[in-house]
Amino acid sequence: KAGVTQTPRYLIKTRGQQVTLSCSPISGHRSVSWYQQTPGQGLQFLFEYFSETQRNKGNFPGRFSGRQFSNSRSEMNVSTLELGDSALYLCASSLVPGQGTGELFFGEGSRLTVL
Amino acid sequence: DQQVKQNSPSLSVQEGRISILNCDYTNSMFDYFLWYKKYPAEGPTFLISISSIKDKNEDGRFTVFLNKSAKHLSLHIVPSQPGDSAVYFCAASPNYGGATNKLIFGTGTLLAVQP
C-alpha cells in the first residue's frame, strides 16, 4: 500500500512569506505527527494530531501551526518565514497514537529553503 | 536541553565487522527507545526498539542494549554491510501516562561501512 505522501517535496521561499505543507498518511492511519530536521539538531517534534485534534505541541513559536482533516490528511503552516526555518519537514503516521512500540512511518519530507 | 544525545556524529567500520552506535539520555521517565535509519532523500525508517523493562532486544543482525542505571543504550550491527551506511537516529518515547507519537530524537550518527 502507498506510504506517507508529502507535498511539495522541495520549495524555496523568501523571508516574511508563509508556506503550507501537506501530508497524506498511510491509508487507515489516523495519527499524524510532524518533525523538523535541521543539521546538528536531529529531528524535533512539532505537533501531533489524532481525530482532527492536536494532542501535543513541541517547543516552536506560534508561527508554526497545523491541522488535520476528517480524512486524516494534515497540513502545517509556517507564517512570516525566517532564515532559520530552512529545514526538512517530516510527516509521520501511525494507526493510533502510541501504536505498538512507538514505531512511526515517515514520509520523504518537504525540503524548505528560506532565502 | 538535549534529552537524547548521540555524541558521535560519525562512525566508520569495515564490512563484516561490528558497528556499535551509542546513545545517552537524561530523562528517567522515558519508557521506550527506538532506532531509526535514514538514507539521503528518504524519510527515516524504523529499525528496532526496546522497552525500558528489558535490557536487550535482537532482530537479525541488529541488537539493542539498554543500561537503565547508566541511562545508555547502544545499537550493535553484526556483521556490518555496505548497505547499512546511513544516518542512525536514537529516539525515546516519554511516558506521559497516555499514548503519544511524540518522540525525542538524538542528533544522529552517520555510519559508513567500507567495503
Side-chain angles (χ1 to χ4, degrees):
Chain A
K1 58 183 175 182
V4 177
T5 304
Q6 292 188 243
T7 56
R9 290 290 313 280
Y10 302 92
L11 66 166
I12 300 173
K13 294 286 187 178
T14 56
R15 280 180 296 175
Q17 287 187 310
Q18 67 92 27
V19 66
T20 299
L21 308 177
S22 178
C23 172
S24 293
I26 291 172
S27 178
H29 284 194
R30 294 164 57 201
S31 179
V32 173
S33 49
W34 289 87
Y35 289 81
Q36 179 196 64
Q37 184 188 4
T38 54
Q41 291 293 319
L43 281 73
Q44 295 186 287
F45 173 79
L46 280 158
F47 340 90
E48 175 186 12
Y49 289 91
F50 178 67
S51 294
E52 302 176 66
T53 301
Q54 186 179 91
R55 292 171 51 87
N56 275 301
K57 189 177 193 301
N59 188 24
F60 279 82
R63 300 185 296 106
F64 291 80
S65 63
R67 59 179 175 168
Q68 186 182 35
F69 302 95
S70 58
N71 61 359
S72 296
R73 192 177 69 84
S74 177
E75 287 181 349
M76 67 163 284
N77 184 279
V78 188
S79 62
T80 319
L81 284 166
E82 300 176 359
L83 295 178
D85 297 333
S86 295
L88 179 67
Y89 291 87
L90 291 159
C91 172
S93 74
S94 67
L95 280 170
V96 294
Q99 166 199 342
T101 59
E103 175 184 356
L104 303 179
F105 296 84
F106 282 88
E108 294 177 320
S110 293
R111 170 75 63 185
L112 170 65
T113 301
V114 182
L115 302 176
Chain B
D1 177 29
Q2 195 75 25
Q3 297 187 67
V4 177
K5 300 177 184 179
Q6 294 177 257
N7 293 317
S8 298
S10 63
L11 175 68
S12 181
V13 299
Q14 288 295 122
E15 181 179 4
R17 306 293 288 269
I18 184 172
S19 295
I20 300 176
L21 295 96
N22 294 304
C23 178
D24 297 297
Y25 62 96
T26 58
N27 190 339
S28 58
M29 294 298 288
F30 289 150
D31 64 348
Y32 237 104
F33 302 90
L34 306 92
W35 286 93
Y36 281 81
K37 178 170 71 173
K38 186 179 186 301
Y39 294 117
E42 294 185 12
T45 55
F46 171 77
L47 197 55
I48 192 169
S49 65
I50 187 167
S51 164
S52 59
I53 63 173
K54 295 186 175 182
D55 55 16
K56 178 182 174 181
N57 189 27
E58 280 183 87
D59 184 2
R61 296 186 296 114
F62 302 90
T63 303
V64 57
F65 295 93
L66 175 62
N67 183 332
K68 284 179 60 180
S69 61
K71 294 190 178 70
H72 177 84
L73 65 155
S74 60
L75 174 68
H76 292 210
I77 306 174
V78 184
S80 301
Q81 300 173 354
D84 295 330
S85 298
V87 177
Y88 289 79
F89 290 99
C90 170
S93 177
N95 180 4
Y96 288 152
T100 179
N101 279 342
K102 176 179 180 178
L103 297 180
I104 311 298
F105 282 86
T107 52
T109 297
L110 174 62
L111 173 65
V113 180
Q114 309 297 335

